Amino acid sequence: MRGLDPIFQVLRTVPPLAWLPLSLAAFREAQPSAIFVIFITSVWPIIINTAVGVRNVPQDYRNVAAVIRLRGPAFFWKIVLPAAAPYIFTGLRIGIGLSWLAIVAAEMLIGGVGIGFFVWDAWNSSNLSDIIVALVYVGLVGFALDRIVALAGRIATRGTQES
């Protein structure tokens, strides 16, 4: 954690859309570049929350694993993953929200298709009612995605995760 955390913190603080020119240069196409921007936006809260979850595995769990000589993959699957799962799903919920934000922003800049392009096109056409409808749509889809991930988290963690 001490070695990787500074790297994660530096990369995490780079604004997502600042990655767009580099991804366009690397991929030379709009769609893979947008996907990369979405990925780079959403991956940091997932990684950081997962690391916190793994670091916060209760010592009692580790002691029980030592007593029953649980090691390697069995220790990971039976102790670490279940204990870290609430943190992982919290990171996923944050990541989903950020990725939805990045989708809209990337589509505004790249153009062509999508809700971001629709909002930008409506702005250029001075059609504020379409923008309001799009914003409500974005909010509702974001809410639905959050609820889906929260439900998956409750199922995966057997209800131990807060909603």
Side-chain angles (χ1 to χ4, degrees):
M1 189 67 180
R2 275 185 257 142
L4 291 178
D5 190 56
I7 295 168
F8 290 163
Q9 295 306 324
V10 167
L11 293 174
R12 176 183 75 81
T13 58
V14 174
L17 295 180
W19 291 98
L20 191 58
L22 286 177
S23 63
L24 282 169
F27 296 113
R28 305 211 183 266
E29 288 183 37
Q31 188 167 356
S33 298
I35 291 170
F36 175 77
V37 169
I38 294 161
F39 168 79
I40 204 75
T41 301
S42 61
V43 73
W44 305 119
I46 299 167
I47 289 173
I48 291 168
N49 277 11
T50 300
V52 169
V54 169
R55 192 174 48 216
N56 288 331
V57 172
Q59 189 60 44
D60 290 347
Y61 293 9
R62 295 172 196 261
N63 293 342
V64 168
V67 167
I68 62 173
R69 294 191 173 110
L70 200 59
R71 293 187 182 92
F75 177 76
F76 174 79
W77 289 106
K78 295 198 180 282
I79 302 295
V80 175
L81 191 60
Y87 293 90
I88 294 168
F89 277 97
T90 299
L92 286 169
R93 288 180 69 187
I94 296 167
I96 285 281
L98 291 175
S99 66
W100 191 233
L101 180 141
I103 288 168
V104 173
E107 288 173 350
M108 282 180 162
L109 290 176
I110 292 174
V113 296
I115 190 72
F117 175 74
F118 177 82
V119 169
W120 191 248
D121 190 48
W123 168 253
N124 287 328
S125 302
S126 298
N127 195 344
L128 295 179
S129 62
D130 281 357
I131 295 173
I132 292 168
V133 169
L135 294 180
V136 169
Y137 171 79
V138 167
L140 291 174
V141 171
F143 177 75
L145 290 172
D146 178 72
R147 295 288 88 204
I148 290 167
V149 175
L151 176 63
R154 275 194 304 280
I155 292 168
T157 61
R158 297 180 184 100
T160 60
Q161 181 187 19
E162 294 293 321
S163 305

PDB file of all heavy atoms in Angstrom, residues 16-17 19-20 23 30-46 95-96 98-107 110:
ATOM      1  N   PRO A  16     -10.522  13.530 -15.472  1.00  0.00           N
ATOM      2  CA  PRO A  16     -10.799  12.481 -16.464  1.00  0.00           C
ATOM      3  C   PRO A  16     -10.697  12.958 -17.906  1.00  0.00           C
ATOM      4  O   PRO A  16     -10.151  12.259 -18.756  1.00  0.00           O
ATOM      5  CB  PRO A  16     -12.221  12.047 -16.140  1.00  0.00           C
ATOM      6  CG  PRO A  16     -12.421  12.415 -14.718  1.00  0.00           C
ATOM      7  CD  PRO A  16     -11.585  13.627 -14.473  1.00  0.00           C
ATOM      8  N   LEU A  17     -11.215  14.138 -18.184  1.00  0.00           N
ATOM      9  CA  LEU A  17     -11.188  14.597 -19.573  1.00  0.00           C
ATOM     10  C   LEU A  17      -9.790  14.995 -20.036  1.00  0.00           C
ATOM     11  O   LEU A  17      -9.545  15.104 -21.233  1.00  0.00           O
ATOM     12  CB  LEU A  17     -12.181  15.740 -19.765  1.00  0.00           C
ATOM     13  CG  LEU A  17     -13.638  15.318 -19.564  1.00  0.00           C
ATOM     14  CD1 LEU A  17     -14.571  16.495 -19.776  1.00  0.00           C
ATOM     15  CD2 LEU A  17     -14.007  14.163 -20.466  1.00  0.00           C
ATOM     16  N   TRP A  19      -7.389  13.041 -19.848  1.00  0.00           N
ATOM     17  CA  TRP A  19      -6.893  11.805 -20.460  1.00  0.00           C
ATOM     18  C   TRP A  19      -7.364  11.652 -21.909  1.00  0.00           C
ATOM     19  O   TRP A  19      -6.808  10.859 -22.659  1.00  0.00           O
ATOM     20  CB  TRP A  19      -7.374  10.586 -19.668  1.00  0.00           C
ATOM     21  CG  TRP A  19      -6.755  10.443 -18.317  1.00  0.00           C
ATOM     22  CD1 TRP A  19      -7.291  10.822 -17.130  1.00  0.00           C
ATOM     23  CD2 TRP A  19      -5.471   9.896 -18.015  1.00  0.00           C
ATOM     24  NE1 TRP A  19      -6.429  10.527 -16.106  1.00  0.00           N
ATOM     25  CE2 TRP A  19      -5.310   9.953 -16.624  1.00  0.00           C
ATOM     26  CE3 TRP A  19      -4.452   9.349 -18.791  1.00  0.00           C
ATOM     27  CZ2 TRP A  19      -4.167   9.493 -15.984  1.00  0.00           C
ATOM     28  CZ3 TRP A  19      -3.308   8.889 -18.150  1.00  0.00           C
ATOM     29  CH2 TRP A  19      -3.166   8.964 -16.771  1.00  0.00           C
ATOM     30  N   LEU A  20      -8.396  12.401 -22.296  1.00  0.00           N
ATOM     31  CA  LEU A  20      -8.990  12.225 -23.618  1.00  0.00           C
ATOM     32  C   LEU A  20      -8.001  12.454 -24.766  1.00  0.00           C
ATOM     33  O   LEU A  20      -7.928  11.617 -25.672  1.00  0.00           O
ATOM     34  CB  LEU A  20     -10.235  13.105 -23.768  1.00  0.00           C
ATOM     35  CG  LEU A  20     -11.092  12.834 -24.998  1.00  0.00           C
ATOM     36  CD1 LEU A  20     -11.572  11.387 -25.032  1.00  0.00           C
ATOM     37  CD2 LEU A  20     -12.285  13.769 -25.018  1.00  0.00           C
ATOM     38  N   SER A  23      -5.705   9.457 -24.948  1.00  0.00           N
ATOM     39  CA  SER A  23      -6.376   8.249 -25.415  1.00  0.00           C
ATOM     40  C   SER A  23      -6.712   8.345 -26.900  1.00  0.00           C
ATOM     41  O   SER A  23      -6.644   7.346 -27.618  1.00  0.00           O
ATOM     42  CB  SER A  23      -7.624   7.951 -24.581  1.00  0.00           C
ATOM     43  OG  SER A  23      -8.572   8.968 -24.716  1.00  0.00           O
ATOM     44  N   ALA A  30     -12.623   7.417 -31.675  1.00  0.00           N
ATOM     45  CA  ALA A  30     -13.376   8.065 -30.602  1.00  0.00           C
ATOM     46  C   ALA A  30     -13.920   7.070 -29.577  1.00  0.00           C
ATOM     47  O   ALA A  30     -13.811   7.295 -28.372  1.00  0.00           O
ATOM     48  CB  ALA A  30     -14.516   8.891 -31.193  1.00  0.00           C
ATOM     49  N   GLN A  31     -14.513   5.971 -30.027  1.00  0.00           N
ATOM     50  CA  GLN A  31     -15.179   5.065 -29.097  1.00  0.00           C
ATOM     51  C   GLN A  31     -14.215   4.410 -28.107  1.00  0.00           C
ATOM     52  O   GLN A  31     -14.472   4.436 -26.900  1.00  0.00           O
ATOM     53  CB  GLN A  31     -15.985   4.014 -29.839  1.00  0.00           C
ATOM     54  CG  GLN A  31     -16.834   3.185 -28.889  1.00  0.00           C
ATOM     55  CD  GLN A  31     -17.865   2.361 -29.621  1.00  0.00           C
ATOM     56  OE1 GLN A  31     -18.015   2.443 -30.813  1.00  0.00           O
ATOM     57  NE2 GLN A  31     -18.582   1.550 -28.875  1.00  0.00           N
ATOM     58  N   PRO A  32     -13.089   3.821 -28.556  1.00  0.00           N
ATOM     59  CA  PRO A  32     -12.160   3.250 -27.562  1.00  0.00           C
ATOM     60  C   PRO A  32     -11.591   4.327 -26.630  1.00  0.00           C
ATOM     61  O   PRO A  32     -11.350   4.062 -25.457  1.00  0.00           O
ATOM     62  CB  PRO A  32     -11.055   2.617 -28.400  1.00  0.00           C
ATOM     63  CG  PRO A  32     -11.595   2.487 -29.762  1.00  0.00           C
ATOM     64  CD  PRO A  32     -12.668   3.520 -29.916  1.00  0.00           C
ATOM     65  N   SER A  33     -11.426   5.534 -27.143  1.00  0.00           N
ATOM     66  CA  SER A  33     -10.920   6.625 -26.303  1.00  0.00           C
ATOM     67  C   SER A  33     -11.915   6.975 -25.221  1.00  0.00           C
ATOM     68  O   SER A  33     -11.546   7.182 -24.057  1.00  0.00           O
ATOM     69  CB  SER A  33     -10.639   7.865 -27.161  1.00  0.00           C
ATOM     70  OG  SER A  33      -9.659   7.580 -28.116  1.00  0.00           O
ATOM     71  N   ALA A  34     -13.183   7.032 -25.579  1.00  0.00           N
ATOM     72  CA  ALA A  34     -14.225   7.321 -24.592  1.00  0.00           C
ATOM     73  C   ALA A  34     -14.300   6.213 -23.544  1.00  0.00           C
ATOM     74  O   ALA A  34     -14.440   6.489 -22.346  1.00  0.00           O
ATOM     75  CB  ALA A  34     -15.571   7.499 -25.283  1.00  0.00           C
ATOM     76  N   ILE A  35     -14.186   4.977 -23.980  1.00  0.00           N
ATOM     77  CA  ILE A  35     -14.215   3.850 -23.039  1.00  0.00           C
ATOM     78  C   ILE A  35     -13.035   3.935 -22.079  1.00  0.00           C
ATOM     79  O   ILE A  35     -13.184   3.704 -20.870  1.00  0.00           O
ATOM     80  CB  ILE A  35     -14.241   2.505 -23.797  1.00  0.00           C
ATOM     81  CG1 ILE A  35     -15.592   2.356 -24.511  1.00  0.00           C
ATOM     82  CG2 ILE A  35     -13.974   1.329 -22.863  1.00  0.00           C
ATOM     83  CD1 ILE A  35     -15.657   1.204 -25.485  1.00  0.00           C
ATOM     84  N   PHE A  36     -11.866   4.291 -22.591  1.00  0.00           N
ATOM     85  CA  PHE A  36     -10.696   4.448 -21.724  1.00  0.00           C
ATOM     86  C   PHE A  36     -10.926   5.550 -20.691  1.00  0.00           C
ATOM     87  O   PHE A  36     -10.616   5.380 -19.512  1.00  0.00           O
ATOM     88  CB  PHE A  36      -9.439   4.752 -22.546  1.00  0.00           C
ATOM     89  CG  PHE A  36      -8.245   5.042 -21.677  1.00  0.00           C
ATOM     90  CD1 PHE A  36      -7.567   4.007 -21.054  1.00  0.00           C
ATOM     91  CD2 PHE A  36      -7.821   6.341 -21.470  1.00  0.00           C
ATOM     92  CE1 PHE A  36      -6.472   4.269 -20.239  1.00  0.00           C
ATOM     93  CE2 PHE A  36      -6.733   6.613 -20.668  1.00  0.00           C
ATOM     94  CZ  PHE A  36      -6.050   5.576 -20.047  1.00  0.00           C
ATOM     95  N   VAL A  37     -11.474   6.684 -21.115  1.00  0.00           N
ATOM     96  CA  VAL A  37     -11.752   7.785 -20.191  1.00  0.00           C
ATOM     97  C   VAL A  37     -12.750   7.344 -19.125  1.00  0.00           C
ATOM     98  O   VAL A  37     -12.589   7.653 -17.938  1.00  0.00           O
ATOM     99  CB  VAL A  37     -12.244   9.036 -20.956  1.00  0.00           C
ATOM    100  CG1 VAL A  37     -12.796  10.081 -20.008  1.00  0.00           C
ATOM    101  CG2 VAL A  37     -11.119   9.620 -21.785  1.00  0.00           C
ATOM    102  N   ILE A  38     -13.760   6.613 -19.520  1.00  0.00           N
ATOM    103  CA  ILE A  38     -14.743   6.099 -18.562  1.00  0.00           C
ATOM    104  C   ILE A  38     -14.066   5.151 -17.571  1.00  0.00           C
ATOM    105  O   ILE A  38     -14.275   5.237 -16.358  1.00  0.00           O
ATOM    106  CB  ILE A  38     -15.901   5.403 -19.298  1.00  0.00           C
ATOM    107  CG1 ILE A  38     -16.681   6.436 -20.116  1.00  0.00           C
ATOM    108  CG2 ILE A  38     -16.805   4.657 -18.335  1.00  0.00           C
ATOM    109  CD1 ILE A  38     -17.532   5.821 -21.207  1.00  0.00           C
ATOM    110  N   PHE A  39     -13.226   4.272 -18.086  1.00  0.00           N
ATOM    111  CA  PHE A  39     -12.494   3.341 -17.221  1.00  0.00           C
ATOM    112  C   PHE A  39     -11.595   4.073 -16.244  1.00  0.00           C
ATOM    113  O   PHE A  39     -11.631   3.805 -15.035  1.00  0.00           O
ATOM    114  CB  PHE A  39     -11.669   2.368 -18.077  1.00  0.00           C
ATOM    115  CG  PHE A  39     -10.684   1.570 -17.276  1.00  0.00           C
ATOM    116  CD1 PHE A  39     -11.109   0.468 -16.538  1.00  0.00           C
ATOM    117  CD2 PHE A  39      -9.351   1.922 -17.243  1.00  0.00           C
ATOM    118  CE1 PHE A  39     -10.211  -0.271 -15.787  1.00  0.00           C
ATOM    119  CE2 PHE A  39      -8.440   1.189 -16.481  1.00  0.00           C
ATOM    120  CZ  PHE A  39      -8.872   0.094 -15.757  1.00  0.00           C
ATOM    121  N   ILE A  40     -10.804   4.997 -16.736  1.00  0.00           N
ATOM    122  CA  ILE A  40      -9.832   5.694 -15.880  1.00  0.00           C
ATOM    123  C   ILE A  40     -10.547   6.561 -14.848  1.00  0.00           C
ATOM    124  O   ILE A  40     -10.020   6.823 -13.778  1.00  0.00           O
ATOM    125  CB  ILE A  40      -8.826   6.516 -16.731  1.00  0.00           C
ATOM    126  CG1 ILE A  40      -7.520   6.730 -15.970  1.00  0.00           C
ATOM    127  CG2 ILE A  40      -9.375   7.842 -17.164  1.00  0.00           C
ATOM    128  CD1 ILE A  40      -6.647   5.531 -15.894  1.00  0.00           C
ATOM    129  N   THR A  41     -11.764   6.976 -15.147  1.00  0.00           N
ATOM    130  CA  THR A  41     -12.549   7.754 -14.191  1.00  0.00           C
ATOM    131  C   THR A  41     -13.072   6.876 -13.067  1.00  0.00           C
ATOM    132  O   THR A  41     -13.046   7.262 -11.898  1.00  0.00           O
ATOM    133  CB  THR A  41     -13.734   8.428 -14.909  1.00  0.00           C
ATOM    134  OG1 THR A  41     -13.229   9.262 -15.940  1.00  0.00           O
ATOM    135  CG2 THR A  41     -14.564   9.251 -13.947  1.00  0.00           C
ATOM    136  N   SER A  42     -13.544   5.701 -13.412  1.00  0.00           N
ATOM    137  CA  SER A  42     -14.246   4.869 -12.429  1.00  0.00           C
ATOM    138  C   SER A  42     -13.355   3.896 -11.679  1.00  0.00           C
ATOM    139  O   SER A  42     -13.760   3.382 -10.630  1.00  0.00           O
ATOM    140  CB  SER A  42     -15.372   4.106 -13.115  1.00  0.00           C
ATOM    141  OG  SER A  42     -14.847   3.258 -14.107  1.00  0.00           O
ATOM    142  N   VAL A  43     -12.162   3.628 -12.146  1.00  0.00           N
ATOM    143  CA  VAL A  43     -11.346   2.580 -11.543  1.00  0.00           C
ATOM    144  C   VAL A  43     -10.776   2.978 -10.180  1.00  0.00           C
ATOM    145  O   VAL A  43     -10.623   2.128  -9.299  1.00  0.00           O
ATOM    146  CB  VAL A  43     -10.227   2.126 -12.508  1.00  0.00           C
ATOM    147  CG1 VAL A  43      -9.121   3.159 -12.637  1.00  0.00           C
ATOM    148  CG2 VAL A  43      -9.671   0.782 -12.084  1.00  0.00           C
ATOM    149  N   TRP A  44     -10.489   4.263  -9.959  1.00  0.00           N
ATOM    150  CA  TRP A  44      -9.800   4.667  -8.730  1.00  0.00           C
ATOM    151  C   TRP A  44     -10.615   4.431  -7.463  1.00  0.00           C
ATOM    152  O   TRP A  44     -10.066   3.885  -6.499  1.00  0.00           O
ATOM    153  CB  TRP A  44      -9.302   6.106  -8.836  1.00  0.00           C
ATOM    154  CG  TRP A  44      -8.436   6.280 -10.035  1.00  0.00           C
ATOM    155  CD1 TRP A  44      -8.640   7.105 -11.092  1.00  0.00           C
ATOM    156  CD2 TRP A  44      -7.227   5.567 -10.334  1.00  0.00           C
ATOM    157  NE1 TRP A  44      -7.649   6.937 -12.018  1.00  0.00           N
ATOM    158  CE2 TRP A  44      -6.770   6.003 -11.587  1.00  0.00           C
ATOM    159  CE3 TRP A  44      -6.509   4.579  -9.667  1.00  0.00           C
ATOM    160  CZ2 TRP A  44      -5.613   5.511 -12.178  1.00  0.00           C
ATOM    161  CZ3 TRP A  44      -5.351   4.087 -10.255  1.00  0.00           C
ATOM    162  CH2 TRP A  44      -4.918   4.552 -11.499  1.00  0.00           C
ATOM    163  N   PRO A  45     -11.884   4.801  -7.405  1.00  0.00           N
ATOM    164  CA  PRO A  45     -12.609   4.504  -6.168  1.00  0.00           C
ATOM    165  C   PRO A  45     -12.756   3.003  -5.913  1.00  0.00           C
ATOM    166  O   PRO A  45     -12.784   2.574  -4.763  1.00  0.00           O
ATOM    167  CB  PRO A  45     -13.979   5.163  -6.358  1.00  0.00           C
ATOM    168  CG  PRO A  45     -14.088   5.485  -7.794  1.00  0.00           C
ATOM    169  CD  PRO A  45     -12.705   5.574  -8.339  1.00  0.00           C
ATOM    170  N   ILE A  46     -12.804   2.224  -6.970  1.00  0.00           N
ATOM    171  CA  ILE A  46     -12.905   0.776  -6.805  1.00  0.00           C
ATOM    172  C   ILE A  46     -11.606   0.232  -6.218  1.00  0.00           C
ATOM    173  O   ILE A  46     -11.617  -0.547  -5.250  1.00  0.00           O
ATOM    174  CB  ILE A  46     -13.248   0.094  -8.148  1.00  0.00           C
ATOM    175  CG1 ILE A  46     -14.598   0.586  -8.661  1.00  0.00           C
ATOM    176  CG2 ILE A  46     -13.227  -1.431  -8.008  1.00  0.00           C
ATOM    177  CD1 ILE A  46     -14.887   0.232 -10.106  1.00  0.00           C
ATOM    178  N   GLY A  95     -17.868   4.267  -8.388  1.00  0.00           N
ATOM    179  CA  GLY A  95     -17.333   4.165  -9.746  1.00  0.00           C
ATOM    180  C   GLY A  95     -18.413   4.244 -10.814  1.00  0.00           C
ATOM    181  O   GLY A  95     -18.215   4.867 -11.861  1.00  0.00           O
ATOM    182  N   ILE A  96     -19.564   3.627 -10.557  1.00  0.00           N
ATOM    183  CA  ILE A  96     -20.684   3.693 -11.512  1.00  0.00           C
ATOM    184  C   ILE A  96     -21.131   5.139 -11.687  1.00  0.00           C
ATOM    185  O   ILE A  96     -21.359   5.605 -12.801  1.00  0.00           O
ATOM    186  CB  ILE A  96     -21.866   2.815 -11.040  1.00  0.00           C
ATOM    187  CG1 ILE A  96     -21.559   1.350 -11.256  1.00  0.00           C
ATOM    188  CG2 ILE A  96     -23.162   3.191 -11.723  1.00  0.00           C
ATOM    189  CD1 ILE A  96     -21.730   0.861 -12.666  1.00  0.00           C
ATOM    190  N   LEU A  98     -19.400   7.896 -11.151  1.00  0.00           N
ATOM    191  CA  LEU A  98     -18.374   8.661 -11.856  1.00  0.00           C
ATOM    192  C   LEU A  98     -18.292   8.280 -13.330  1.00  0.00           C
ATOM    193  O   LEU A  98     -18.059   9.135 -14.185  1.00  0.00           O
ATOM    194  CB  LEU A  98     -17.015   8.458 -11.182  1.00  0.00           C
ATOM    195  CG  LEU A  98     -16.866   9.088  -9.805  1.00  0.00           C
ATOM    196  CD1 LEU A  98     -15.531   8.708  -9.187  1.00  0.00           C
ATOM    197  CD2 LEU A  98     -17.013  10.598  -9.882  1.00  0.00           C
ATOM    198  N   SER A  99     -18.488   6.994 -13.625  1.00  0.00           N
ATOM    199  CA  SER A  99     -18.417   6.583 -15.033  1.00  0.00           C
ATOM    200  C   SER A  99     -19.571   7.176 -15.824  1.00  0.00           C
ATOM    201  O   SER A  99     -19.406   7.557 -16.985  1.00  0.00           O
ATOM    202  CB  SER A  99     -18.401   5.058 -15.162  1.00  0.00           C
ATOM    203  OG  SER A  99     -19.625   4.507 -14.735  1.00  0.00           O
ATOM    204  N   TRP A 100     -20.738   7.283 -15.217  1.00  0.00           N
ATOM    205  CA  TRP A 100     -21.888   7.898 -15.889  1.00  0.00           C
ATOM    206  C   TRP A 100     -21.584   9.365 -16.168  1.00  0.00           C
ATOM    207  O   TRP A 100     -21.900   9.883 -17.229  1.00  0.00           O
ATOM    208  CB  TRP A 100     -23.125   7.698 -15.032  1.00  0.00           C
ATOM    209  CG  TRP A 100     -24.427   8.031 -15.678  1.00  0.00           C
ATOM    210  CD1 TRP A 100     -25.370   8.864 -15.177  1.00  0.00           C
ATOM    211  CD2 TRP A 100     -24.957   7.569 -16.927  1.00  0.00           C
ATOM    212  NE1 TRP A 100     -26.446   8.934 -16.035  1.00  0.00           N
ATOM    213  CE2 TRP A 100     -26.210   8.147 -17.110  1.00  0.00           C
ATOM    214  CE3 TRP A 100     -24.473   6.706 -17.905  1.00  0.00           C
ATOM    215  CZ2 TRP A 100     -26.996   7.916 -18.233  1.00  0.00           C
ATOM    216  CZ3 TRP A 100     -25.255   6.470 -19.028  1.00  0.00           C
ATOM    217  CH2 TRP A 100     -26.498   7.069 -19.171  1.00  0.00           C
ATOM    218  N   LEU A 101     -20.945  10.030 -15.218  1.00  0.00           N
ATOM    219  CA  LEU A 101     -20.524  11.415 -15.415  1.00  0.00           C
ATOM    220  C   LEU A 101     -19.533  11.510 -16.585  1.00  0.00           C
ATOM    221  O   LEU A 101     -19.645  12.390 -17.440  1.00  0.00           O
ATOM    222  CB  LEU A 101     -19.882  11.919 -14.122  1.00  0.00           C
ATOM    223  CG  LEU A 101     -19.358  13.327 -14.080  1.00  0.00           C
ATOM    224  CD1 LEU A 101     -19.659  13.927 -12.722  1.00  0.00           C
ATOM    225  CD2 LEU A 101     -17.870  13.360 -14.333  1.00  0.00           C
ATOM    226  N   ALA A 102     -18.577  10.590 -16.620  1.00  0.00           N
ATOM    227  CA  ALA A 102     -17.562  10.617 -17.673  1.00  0.00           C
ATOM    228  C   ALA A 102     -18.152  10.298 -19.041  1.00  0.00           C
ATOM    229  O   ALA A 102     -17.693  10.845 -20.050  1.00  0.00           O
ATOM    230  CB  ALA A 102     -16.446   9.624 -17.346  1.00  0.00           C
ATOM    231  N   ILE A 103     -19.146   9.426 -19.094  1.00  0.00           N
ATOM    232  CA  ILE A 103     -19.782   9.101 -20.373  1.00  0.00           C
ATOM    233  C   ILE A 103     -20.368  10.363 -20.991  1.00  0.00           C
ATOM    234  O   ILE A 103     -20.136  10.666 -22.160  1.00  0.00           O
ATOM    235  CB  ILE A 103     -20.892   8.033 -20.184  1.00  0.00           C
ATOM    236  CG1 ILE A 103     -20.289   6.677 -19.883  1.00  0.00           C
ATOM    237  CG2 ILE A 103     -21.794   7.955 -21.405  1.00  0.00           C
ATOM    238  CD1 ILE A 103     -21.298   5.645 -19.413  1.00  0.00           C
ATOM    239  N   VAL A 104     -21.129  11.102 -20.197  1.00  0.00           N
ATOM    240  CA  VAL A 104     -21.779  12.310 -20.707  1.00  0.00           C
ATOM    241  C   VAL A 104     -20.729  13.326 -21.161  1.00  0.00           C
ATOM    242  O   VAL A 104     -20.823  13.890 -22.258  1.00  0.00           O
ATOM    243  CB  VAL A 104     -22.726  12.905 -19.643  1.00  0.00           C
ATOM    244  CG1 VAL A 104     -23.287  14.241 -20.091  1.00  0.00           C
ATOM    245  CG2 VAL A 104     -23.859  11.924 -19.350  1.00  0.00           C
ATOM    246  N   ALA A 105     -19.719  13.551 -20.343  1.00  0.00           N
ATOM    247  CA  ALA A 105     -18.692  14.535 -20.684  1.00  0.00           C
ATOM    248  C   ALA A 105     -17.895  14.121 -21.922  1.00  0.00           C
ATOM    249  O   ALA A 105     -17.635  14.948 -22.805  1.00  0.00           O
ATOM    250  CB  ALA A 105     -17.759  14.745 -19.492  1.00  0.00           C
ATOM    251  N   ALA A 106     -17.509  12.853 -22.003  1.00  0.00           N
ATOM    252  CA  ALA A 106     -16.733  12.384 -23.156  1.00  0.00           C
ATOM    253  C   ALA A 106     -17.542  12.480 -24.439  1.00  0.00           C
ATOM    254  O   ALA A 106     -17.022  12.882 -25.488  1.00  0.00           O
ATOM    255  CB  ALA A 106     -16.259  10.949 -22.922  1.00  0.00           C
ATOM    256  N   GLU A 107     -18.826  12.139 -24.372  1.00  0.00           N
ATOM    257  CA  GLU A 107     -19.663  12.226 -25.569  1.00  0.00           C
ATOM    258  C   GLU A 107     -19.849  13.677 -26.010  1.00  0.00           C
ATOM    259  O   GLU A 107     -19.997  13.936 -27.206  1.00  0.00           O
ATOM    260  CB  GLU A 107     -21.012  11.573 -25.314  1.00  0.00           C
ATOM    261  CG  GLU A 107     -20.945  10.061 -25.235  1.00  0.00           C
ATOM    262  CD  GLU A 107     -22.260   9.424 -24.810  1.00  0.00           C
ATOM    263  OE1 GLU A 107     -23.189  10.134 -24.392  1.00  0.00           O
ATOM    264  OE2 GLU A 107     -22.336   8.188 -24.906  1.00  0.00           O
ATOM    265  N   ILE A 110     -16.386  14.302 -27.784  1.00  0.00           N
ATOM    266  CA  ILE A 110     -16.110  13.474 -28.959  1.00  0.00           C
ATOM    267  C   ILE A 110     -17.184  13.652 -30.017  1.00  0.00           C
ATOM    268  O   ILE A 110     -16.916  13.655 -31.205  1.00  0.00           O
ATOM    269  CB  ILE A 110     -15.944  11.998 -28.543  1.00  0.00           C
ATOM    270  CG1 ILE A 110     -14.662  11.844 -27.734  1.00  0.00           C
ATOM    271  CG2 ILE A 110     -15.916  11.100 -29.752  1.00  0.00           C
ATOM    272  CD1 ILE A 110     -14.456  10.481 -27.156  1.00  0.00           C
TER     273      ILE A 110
END
